[in-house]
Amino acid sequence: MKFGVIVFPGSNCDYDAYMAIKTVIGHDAEFLWHQDSSLNRCDCLILPGGFAYGDYLRTGAIARFSTIMKKVIEFANNGGLVIGICNGFQILLESGLLPGAMLKNSSLRFICRFVHIRAENRNFQQPMPRREGFKDSHSALRRELLHPPGRFEKTQGKRSDSVPVLR
Amino acid sequence: MSKEDKKQSAVVYVKLKDGVLDPQGMTIKNALENMGYHGIKEVRSGKTFEITFQSEETAKPEELIDEICRKLLTNPVIEKYKFEIQK
């Protein structure tokens, strides 16, 4: 499987994603520049974290209009696999591929800590990957949290079971 | 008045929709209270954009600015906007 890691000006976790694919799961990976107009026949796209376009205007608002995003939207709408991490996830929200928007944390503080998350709505309750320290594969997943805008606001009228609710 | 001043322009005001928690506005309100400004019920923060056109008259500036607001300047999930066209 070939992964494409999209690099925006301001992406800063692009090499992490690239190295994780290459060395941890041992698949092929290549970088795709935001001005490219071809996805180079990648099977899965990763929009990495960081601060694309300096988070100007709104997080992801400018990146969403990059040349490559037209192809990403087309790819996703045709059933292609797209992973958005952190800033990349916010670009997917802005592009309309995912419902909702992100707002500044209500504390106005930068949040940086580990949290346990678990899907609360039943249709998304799949076994989480086994982690050390958890006997039950349905246990919460321990993930890092690191962001200033992390307050999710859902699109009005959207059914909440169309997206996983994590707690 | 210089020639530059005659260019048509628009001012766009963007704010969070009513009901969307605005922690920045709340923090400003608290700061004002600490400074001794009482009687303030709420502060809502927002953004302003000044857009100047190249020419003195643009065809259908309202439609153009409205489109710009919807496509880029605001996220309709969380924000609302209004604008004024200035001649």
Side-chain angles (χ1 to χ4, degrees):
Chain A
M1 194 166 176
K2 189 167 133 187
F3 286 78
V5 178
I6 299 173
V7 183
F8 296 96
S11 294
N12 67 6
C13 297
D14 40 351
Y15 272 84
D16 300 31
Y18 180 85
M19 291 305 287
I21 299 301
K22 283 262 187 182
T23 64
V24 180
I25 63 169
H27 281 271
D28 193 16
E30 69 170 79
F31 289 115
L32 299 170
W33 184 235
H34 70 112
Q35 285 172 327
D36 290 350
S37 48
S38 163
L39 301 176
N40 276 354
R41 282 176 296 196
C42 286
D43 306 299
C44 179
L45 303 174
I46 299 179
L47 280 72
F51 299 86
Y53 291 89
D55 275 355
Y56 291 161
L57 192 59
R58 288 181 310 281
T59 303
I62 312 277
R64 173 249 178 284
F65 288 101
S66 295
T67 314
I68 204 160
M69 281 308 291
K70 282 197 195 87
K71 293 285 170 185
V72 175
I73 292 167
E74 206 178 281
F75 179 75
N77 286 335
N78 288 327
L81 295 173
V82 181
I83 301 172
I85 305 168
C86 199
N87 195 258
F89 177 81
Q90 294 173 323
I91 297 169
L92 295 180
L93 287 173
E94 277 286 338
S95 71
L97 283 173
L98 296 172
M102 282 288 189
L103 287 153
K104 279 199 174 70
N105 295 332
S106 46
S107 64
L108 277 184
R109 291 193 187 125
F110 187 93
I111 297 178
C112 178
R113 62 164 190 258
F114 279 94
V115 291
H116 291 97
I117 54 169
R118 187 176 61 194
E120 289 291 319
N121 35 2
R122 203 176 291 163
N123 47 337
F124 286 95
Q125 274 177 0
Q126 295 157 359
M128 292 281 194
R130 271 176 191 277
R131 286 280 166 129
E132 226 175 295
F134 291 108
K135 285 176 189 162
D136 173 10
S137 63
H138 287 269
S139 293
L141 188 65
R142 189 169 190 253
R143 294 294 305 163
E144 61 281 12
L145 197 79
L146 172 91
H147 51 219
R151 185 159 51 101
F152 183 74
E153 182 81 23
K154 77 183 178 80
T155 308
Q156 288 288 314
K158 282 264 176 187
R159 282 169 63 92
S160 61
D161 57 3
S162 64
V163 287
V165 177
L166 301 169
R167 180 152 51 193
Chain B
M1 206 188 239
S2 73
K3 214 176 176 185
E4 272 302 301
D5 293 333
K6 286 186 191 164
K7 307 284 186 213
Q8 195 166 41
S9 65
V11 185
V12 179
Y13 305 94
V14 179
K15 60 169 275 193
L16 291 172
K17 280 181 180 173
D18 297 335
V20 175
L21 186 71
D22 178 10
Q24 187 169 259
M26 284 161 62
T27 307
I28 293 167
K29 180 189 168 265
N30 289 343
L32 288 171
E33 272 172 4
N34 291 340
M35 289 161 72
Y37 296 102
H38 299 292
I40 294 169
K41 191 182 165 214
E42 193 183 20
V43 176
R44 302 283 290 174
S45 65
K47 294 181 240 188
T48 309
F49 301 94
E50 290 176 5
I51 299 168
T52 309
F53 292 104
Q54 284 179 353
S55 59
E56 277 132 55
E57 261 195 68
T58 311
K60 298 180 178 169
E62 288 86 0
E63 283 179 29
L64 189 70
I65 294 292
D66 196 62
E67 189 179 311
I68 289 170
C69 287
R70 279 185 282 111
K71 281 192 179 170
L72 180 65
L73 295 184
T74 70
N75 181 331
V77 179
I78 47 169
E79 292 169 321
K80 61 180 189 179
Y81 63 91
K82 61 177 183 179
F83 59 85
E84 291 160 11
I85 305 289
Q86 295 173 341
K87 300 252 158 112

